[in-house]
Amino acid sequence: MLRIHFTGDSITDAGRDRTDPASLGDGYVSLLAQAPELADARISNSGIAGNRAIDLVGRWEADVMSSQPDVLSIYVGINDVWRRFDSDDPTTDEEFEARLRHLLERVPAGVRVLLVEPFLLPVRAEQQGWLTELRGKQRVVADLAGRFGAQWVPLQQRLSEAAGEDAAAWAPDGVHPFPRASRLIADAWLDAYRRLPA
């Protein structure tokens, strides 16, 4: 059976029951579990709300590699931006790149990887500054996908175009998606998954 493992922050976590290994939350991962083309896959989720790349480094072996995935999806980055603005705890693009590269270097050969682009739909004026900060992290994700032969899952343009001038109707705080945004994330992920090498 194909094993697909998802890890990342709150967008992947999506309120899952962390005491139940089968819990997928109510976000894009649970939607993907219902996709006909993934019906025969065993899907697991180790997303944890609030996580940054450094948090994934700390739990990589126990929470991610222990699932022995055939396909691994990594979705992280927005908290590496957010903590600069709400906690004065910035993560530079160089630190983010080093940590994400550290993770990718520990993925066994043969595991197919998807790297999901973190997104932001600014709903407050000050979040425009967040978006400027996020662009560096987005470039890191795209660049590392190319360097490691991973499949990049672009979200920013797709969500921005869908939301138009009504960002809060898609993500009330600019970050956490409403169901229709989760559906769009799932669709983007599936598009990228279909491009993975066999």
Side-chain angles (χ1 to χ4, degrees):
M1 177 179 287
L2 183 73
R3 295 176 301 240
I4 305 177
H5 187 78
F6 294 83
T7 196
D9 53 34
S10 58
I11 301 172
T12 298
D13 181 334
R16 70 184 178 90
D17 178 356
R18 295 181 201 163
T19 68
D20 178 4
S23 178
L24 301 178
D26 60 3
Y28 76 97
V29 178
S30 65
L31 294 174
L32 288 169
Q34 301 167 31
E37 63 199 274
L38 302 182
D40 295 328
R42 187 176 75 192
I43 294 176
S44 55
N45 182 353
S46 67
I48 294 182
N51 265 197
R52 296 182 289 179
I54 194 170
D55 300 301
L56 289 184
V57 170
R59 62 187 185 88
W60 194 244
E61 296 300 327
D63 288 356
V64 180
M65 290 294 93
S66 63
S67 69
Q68 299 182 310
D70 302 300
V71 176
L72 173 61
S73 178
I74 306 169
Y75 187 173
V76 71
I78 190 59
N79 291 312
D80 293 87
V81 172
W82 203 336
R83 294 296 85 82
R84 172 185 174 183
F85 296 96
D86 72 354
S87 304
D88 193 25
D89 185 11
T91 299
T92 67
D93 293 346
E94 292 75 18
E95 289 169 332
F96 182 70
E97 189 273 341
R99 291 162 183 168
L100 195 51
R101 176 167 39 82
H102 178 83
L103 301 179
L104 292 168
E105 287 171 345
R106 280 149 184 76
V107 175
V111 176
R112 293 174 291 165
V113 177
L114 295 98
L115 288 178
V116 184
E117 178 186 46
F119 78 92
L120 174 69
L121 300 176
V123 297
R124 302 190 307 275
E126 63 267 25
Q127 286 183 317
Q128 292 298 332
W130 299 22
L131 193 57
T132 300
E133 175 83 3
L134 180 60
R135 288 190 183 106
K137 309 299 185 287
Q138 292 171 331
R139 284 192 295 269
V140 166
V141 172
D143 290 347
L144 287 176
R147 286 163 54 187
F148 281 85
Q151 192 65 53
W152 178 55
V153 184
L155 292 184
Q156 184 67 56
Q157 182 176 352
R158 196 164 182 165
L159 278 159
S160 293
E161 290 177 353
E165 299 299 317
D166 196 12
W170 290 77
D173 60 358
V175 172
H176 297 97
F178 276 136
R180 61 176 173 171
S182 293
R183 167 54 64 189
L184 190 150
I185 294 168
D187 290 345
W189 192 95
L190 275 175
D191 288 345
Y193 175 79
R194 295 179 184 119
R195 295 193 296 270
L196 282 174

